[in-house]
Amino acid sequence: MINIKQQLASLVTGYPVEEVEGLLSDIEDNSLGDYALPCFKFAKQQRLSPNIIAQQIASSIQPNVLIDKVCSVGGYCNFYLNKQYVTTQIVSQVVCQSDYGNSSLGQGKTICIDYSSINIAKPFHIGHLGTTAIGSCLYKVYKALGYNVVGINHLGDWGTQFGKLIVAYNKWSDKETILKGGLRALQDIYVRFHVEAEKDDSLNDQAREWFARIEQGDKSANELFNFFKDITLCEVKKLYQRLNVTFDSWNGESFYNNLMPDAIKFLEEKNIVTTSDGARVVDLSAYNMPPCLLVKSDGASLYATRDITAIMYRKATYDFYKCLYVVAYQQNLHFKQVFKVIELAGLPYADSLVHVAYGMVSLEEGSMSTRKGNTVWLEDVLNRAVDKARSIIEDKNPELPNKAEIAEQVGVGAVIFSALCNSRIKDITFSFDRVLSFEGETAPYLQYTHARCCSIFEKAGMSYYARCAHDHSVYDNVESVELAKLINKFPQVLVEVGQRYEPSILSCYLIDLAKSFNKYYLSQKMLCEDLGKQNARLDLAKSVQITLNKGLTLLGIACPTKM
């Protein structure tokens, strides 16, 4: 990345470079310049009008290799860049880097990210898309920024539901049926249990008894528990592979059972645990929150107990710089309570805990309920998206090689992008027609732009690599410098994604980059007889392709070279 603002700021004498750099901003109207320096703050310091300050600064700077001219406009000092020089510098840097956008910003620091966190023996449904896509993107971005990243799938593998499953399995199923039907067969008997339990409440008593047997280490109960777990993980790992999602830890709720007594003892020793109606709680009324329940009156632990224990374990194991929880905003109170307990316990890393909240994802068909069987499986959504992508490809480009592979890339990419293209806190209603459009702000549009770049290189053939001079005079236009300036922003975009835990910053940036390139493509003759001019334009296209490829990869989206 070339720090243009810093270079411009260094030309402004009499004021701190850092302060000037922070004030400089892009100008949307190219006719008014490339960057504007508002002089109102300086005017207040100097007790002069902003117009006079802007005029003084503009008159003190002469045109040079970086800028063509500087003008004062109503209290602003506007800088016009040397388009050819700036574009050449940016393009030359990008095409020579193997990992454009990577940095050592996080060197020596560990970030734990708790995301996806699916429930054993329950559907991997459309509602899991947000946490999975957002968490995976942050995982990849922090890796690119040089952090040591630990991706954690905090499995929901504990609770009375497993007692319910065992009762249902013993009554209405068998091993062969479950092996054949997989997770959907488990879901079927889970739904049936709740239907039958409404007629016969004794089934709930039997479920509690079976779960108690799991807790007590009963061999037959735990064999079934592990069988259900193996069936689930076998299926969901295939889905994670399709989504380009990876984890470093699969430690779920059950992992922390033996660690919880020590965690509770620690909190008790800090004198923050009290008894309320037989339950062990941390009173949070002073912070306008209900009490944080640690142990119920019957001795059972809760989500909060396990999350507090997990935080302590993760700090001891990974010594995290930050620990992120990518969980829906419905759990805002839960995490406020848990983080406050860590703070009240005097643990110095309480401010390193972050709830990365996100909105819900639903289909146009409506809401879901696992217990009632009204669930939209994420696998079905992906398959439907891939089928639709295949039909579009058949219609638009029936001779395209590897149509099945590209349809998979386009369909899955569209689903992932749908969860990352807007502010993460927004609720999303998923629409197949919208997300699979090859126009507008969609993944197929980005993938198509990437493929367009690759197609240009293929058409250029060996002439692109010919050893002739690159004629950089072709960069002396608004389209070239605007495109180059966007490419130059990419490393800082990744930093902002990490600072704000917001993948949509990257998504929106890539859309702007694709739009800018397609505008450039229509205004310039990419392939021509003058190889010097052609190669210069192709280098600019190459820097776009490199940036799009890296950006899409960080989102978890494949980059086809043909579409």
Side-chain angles (χ1 to χ4, degrees), residues 217-255:
D218 178 84
K219 183 180 179 181
S220 60
N222 277 278
E223 282 179 352
L224 283 174
F225 169 70
N226 289 320
F227 173 57
F228 299 153
K229 189 170 181 177
D230 290 342
I231 290 289
T232 305
L233 293 180
C234 180
E235 289 196 27
V236 300
K237 284 182 178 180
K238 294 175 183 176
L239 202 55
Y240 284 133
Q241 188 174 12
R242 290 184 76 182
L243 294 167
N244 300 304
V245 175
T246 58
F247 298 96
D248 303 294
S249 168
W250 296 79
N251 290 338
E253 293 180 71
S254 64
F255 176 82

Side-chain angles (χ1 to χ4, degrees), residues 70-113:
V70 185
C71 300
S72 62
V73 182
Y76 287 83
C77 191
N78 290 1
F79 295 82
Y80 290 77
L81 295 177
N82 179 327
K83 298 177 180 60
Q84 179 179 328
Y85 172 79
V86 170
T87 304
T88 301
Q89 293 300 305
I90 292 170
V91 170
S92 299
Q93 182 187 70
V94 175
V95 296
C96 291
Q97 289 188 18
S98 59
D99 288 308
Y100 182 53
N102 283 16
S103 75
S104 58
L105 179 69
Q107 188 172 7
K109 298 176 181 177
T110 295
I111 292 183
C112 292
I113 311 180

Side-chain angles (χ1 to χ4, degrees), residues 263-367:
I264 295 170
K265 181 180 178 182
F266 173 82
L267 297 178
E268 289 175 334
E269 290 172 349
K270 293 294 181 178
N271 296 316
I272 62 173
V273 181
T274 59
T275 302
S276 175
D277 296 327
R280 301 294 281 163
V281 306
V282 178
D283 184 6
L284 299 176
S285 58
Y287 308 97
N288 297 315
M289 286 187 278
C292 181
L293 289 167
L294 301 177
V295 183
K296 293 197 292 187
S297 57
D298 63 2
S301 60
L302 295 101
Y303 289 122
T305 328
R306 287 185 280 276
D307 277 339
I308 291 167
T309 304
I311 288 170
M312 295 178 180
Y313 172 83
R314 291 168 186 174
K315 183 63 179 179
T317 304
Y318 305 114
D319 190 24
F320 57 74
Y321 163 70
K322 284 186 179 179
C323 186
L324 312 184
Y325 292 81
V326 186
V327 183
Y329 60 67
Q330 285 90 337
Q331 297 299 318
N332 282 352
L333 175 60
H334 168 78
F335 284 105
K336 284 181 181 178
Q337 290 176 305
V338 168
F339 296 170
K340 180 58 71 173
V341 170
I342 294 293
E343 178 187 334
L344 294 176
L347 296 171
Y349 49 84
D351 59 357
S352 300
L353 307 171
V354 181
H355 176 205
V356 181
Y358 66 89
M360 300 303 291
V361 180
S362 61
L363 290 178
E364 293 170 307
E365 286 85 344
S367 59

